[in-house]
Amino acid sequence: MNCRSEVLEVTVEARQVEEAMLALLHTILLHRSTGKFHYKKEGTYSIGTVGTLDIDCDFIDFTFVRVSSEELDRVIRKAVSEFKDALSNSGSDGMGQISLEFYQKKKSRWPFSDECIPWEVWSIKVNVVNLANEQERQICREKVGEKLGEKVINVVEVINRHEYLPKMPTQSEVDNVFDTSLKDVQPYLYKITFQITDSLGTSVSTTMRRLIKDTLAL
Amino acid sequence: MAHFDTEYQRLEASYSDSPPGEENLLMHVPEGAKCMCDTHHKPILNLSDTQIHTFLFSIGNDKNGFTCMLLGEIFELVQLLFVVGFTVFLANCVDYDILFANKFVNHTDSSKVTLPDAFLPVDVCSARIRDNAFVIFVLIISGVFWLHRLVKFIYNVCCYWEIRSFYINALKMTMSELPYATWQEVQARIVEIQKEHQICIHKKELTELDIYHRILRFKNYMVAMVNKSLLPVRFRPPVLGECVFFTRGLKYNFELIFFWGPGSLFENEWSLKPEYKRGGNRLELADRLASRILWIGIANLLLCPVILVWQILYAFFSYTEVIKREPGSLGARCWSLYGRCYLRHFNELDHELMSRLSKGYKAASKYMNCFLSPLLTVVAKNVAFFAGSLLAVLIALTIYDEDVLAVEHVLSSITLLGVCITVCRSFIPDKNMVFCPEQLLRVILAHIHYMPDHWQGNAHRYETRDQFSQLFQYKAVFILEELISPVVTPIILIFSLRRKSLEIIDFFRNFTVEVVGVGDTCSFAQMDIRQHGHPAWMSEGKTEASIYQQAEDGKTELSLMHFAITNPQWQPPQETTHFISQLKERVHREATGAPSDTNPLSLSESEPRSLIANILGPSTLTSVHFGRDSSLTNHAAAGINDGASALRSLSPVSSSLHLRGSLSAAHRAAGHTSAMSKGMAGSGTDARTVSSGSSAWEGQLTSLVLSEYASTEMSIHALYMHESRGELSRHTWHRQDSDESSDSVPDEVRSEPNPHSRHFPRSHTFPTTVASPSAIPTSASACATGSTTLGQEGASSQSSTQRRFSGSAVRSARVPMGGWAEDGQAAPRHHDPLPEESSEDEMPPHIHKVNAVRCVVGMAKLLCARGPRFSDV
């Protein structure tokens, strides 16, 4: 519970899903990435640059800015295409949600795995519509473009608020806050998950965990 | 080349395309980041506020550290194994015929029977165990139980470890000082580190109320549900009359259904499922809840035998040893589980509740002991007589010739007779005891803060006693209830709770609010007078609550006062602040008896003096009144002065209490004690008192006195609120059939929104106008003489922590002027005055004592330990 959660909602046509998702995820990640840290000595570091790239969408009248990092792009694209496939497999009126979660890692001792503590979750709810004719598609193309523009401004507004961000780590702990696996950019640790259809509710596993935990705490 | 050595800021610069020479942009890791790495925001706010609290207090209260706690748990596990093993061994592997000498052992060398002779051989023994299905069953259950305990133990160790590191790294408390830390200190540090590290990321600052909400989320719901009588805990079985059944098993089931079980109303620890927040499909949700309750009830029914055996074993393991050690403990009483829910304020932590209830324990058990049945007494006396004579003869014979002991069953009959006499004696009341329940109940109220209105004035009735015994039951009854709980629980779930499912759904929908950074909490716990106030409890005109929304028994108001008093730094919303200050001021006014109607501003604005100082202030002036009594009262006057000065020396602290916030800052500050003593010395003659007691004082003064002071202040407020509430209801009734009410009363009733406050016993009538000549001296002397007894016994009846304050006499004597003594008025007010109230002068000391206790309620706690000097007279 101790994390911010933002919800964005978009209604798109099936072929627009991928680009819309990419646009939003990349926009968020653009603002949640820094250049690579180069530690000089303990507690002092310099930050590398981050290049940006304009991307034009094919199916939407929209252009967005992303970090010019092919690796990052590849990772995101992979996640989004999985989401798209799952969505198209699910049936006609696809509803889905993709969430981008920023977290911090907490190292634990041996028998336990590292803990991930989220501090910000962006959930993008997608509503897929089917359109009958070309004219409607044309209208939709423009409308989705406008909507996405609004969302981007929305994202920037949220990010501009002075709210909690993990503190800058020392060299030894940089892995707990930032994803350092990429060569040219260093986003905060993130995780992309998706969910098809609105099956929100307590899953069996969480209930069981809770049951056990509470029995123990009795 | 730029070189920043500032705090971290957003790195907007680095997003620009190509800042020249960016390679050399140097940043510094800010201070504090290092410790942050160990102290993620997780431990406190995600996982385990409750655990922080339990951990602290399980350590703090037993005054032992982490290792001791672990050792204790390990020994518990070992003990469990031992008890099970030993019981099985005794039942199956011992040849009792040999022990009882019914069978002879054919030893060749000697005729002595040794212990090993009585043991059966291993193979026989194991065969017997294997053949006995019941033993196997018990063994399996205990095995499961033990494994459960083991897993729980391991889990606890992990949690404790995590929290321990949180304490050490984030709160910067060492393990050595932890046992001596108070909850207030810990809380202050949590608020502190929130500013620094933002452990809760939703808001910049964390208030005390947020922390309490986090810890007590579900408890607050339970308290509110009990308060609104939503939970089926009262029953009317055919024979027993009305009774309350609320056991741990039942509570566990309630929590399972509402809060965390599969398909419960909460989707996780902090938020209610969204569908329950909407009113639309409440009927459908109620149906779903009802069927869930049914299933859980059936599961309970199926598991009933297992749970029953478990309960019996558990009770056996936990209580046998205690009963053997002190058989009287079964006759002792304890606060029932229902009582704890009923008496708990919103946002009151366990340790706060327990200390409050423990303080009331003595008075409560005394009150219950008032009601010994005369019939039983007669029977008990005679049984004791016969048993005693038999015992005497046996003992006499034994003394004459000890071979009597060797006769079969003589020893056992001596033991049995002894037990019998002990039991009988507990039914025979103390010869010197006097039946004065009204005052005792008042003392109890000062600690427990809640009681139904109709108890006032009816304390001597059996109905009141029976109802009180629902809150304060015999330990034996408690154990018995726990034992039958597995059988009764499914019945309650299936037949009572299921019918309430719609009400429950409505309750959760209507009384849940979402608080940023805290999640969904019970709206009662917000303690908002406007939403949940009850007009009869001082919040008239401020509350907009419908009857459904009002908390019963003035819960909102009293909780609010309690929270504000225990957490002086808490900054409530505007209106609430207004309510609190208004009430406080009113209590001050009534308590001091100052004619505040003339200049109400002078009191509230000139200097925010403490309540106690206010109470004491006039007392010095009016101590003259005692002068005409015996030499005793001269001492009393001296005592008053001492008391006044001592208490006034407290007032710097308490005034800062009123100035909100400065208190704990001062209290943590290093220079605190010096500031204190400066304040003390400031009041001239007080220096003597201060110096006499200061060594004992100064060390403890900080937290101990302050918390004690807070509880005293709360007692006074609780009494005041009950009093004025009682006045309201009694007053209307009073005017109808008796006409001794003063002439101005009807006008006041009409003109004033809060007429009852005017009729609160105003003490300034005591010293200035001699209103009813008989009343004043008696009540005054009652308190004066009472205080002598207080010196001897009263001290022991009060909180033991106070005893270390050595000092002089009789604070209690000045209390009649303080404002709580309306004994004089009490007599005419009741229509059926209790006999002893009319004849206070001839009363045996006991009643005086109680009177005094009642007079000094609360305040005397600080002081009565100073009695001894006076009692020497």
Side-chain angles (χ1 to χ4, degrees), chain B residues 853-865:
Chain B
V853 169
R854 178 214 172 315
C855 292
V856 302
V857 67
M859 285 87 76
K861 278 197 306 170
L862 281 168
L863 307 158
C864 65

Side-chain angles (χ1 to χ4, degrees), chain B residues 842-855:
Chain B
E842 295 88 49
M843 269 189 295
H846 183 85
I847 181 67
H848 287 305
K849 183 176 126 199
V850 178
N851 249 336
V853 169
R854 178 214 172 315
C855 292

Side-chain angles (χ1 to χ4, degrees), chain B residues 604-624:
Chain B
S604 57
E605 294 198 345
S606 63
E607 50 169 335
R609 286 182 301 163
S610 80
L611 178 58
I612 290 182
N614 272 335
I615 291 169
L616 278 162
S619 73
T620 43
L621 302 174
T622 53
S623 60
V624 192

Side-chain angles (χ1 to χ4, degrees), chain B residues 554-595:
Chain B
K555 198 89 161 182
T556 317
E557 290 81 0
L558 281 163
S559 299
L560 178 64
M561 283 317 294
H562 179 260
F563 194 78
I565 286 172
T566 43
N567 296 285
Q569 290 113 311
W570 177 56
Q571 284 175 340
Q574 187 73 41
E575 275 173 60
T576 316
T577 321
H578 184 64
F579 173 81
I580 295 173
S581 56
Q582 206 179 8
L583 178 63
K584 274 193 175 169
E585 191 191 312
R586 214 186 283 167
V587 172
H588 282 205
R589 203 163 57 204
E590 298 289 350
T592 48

Side-chain angles (χ1 to χ4, degrees), chain B residues 226-242:
Chain B
V226 167
N227 183 260
K228 296 298 286 180
S229 315
L230 189 65
L231 295 181
V233 291
R234 285 178 178 280
F235 303 98
R236 286 198 155 276
V239 190
L240 299 169
E242 191 184 34

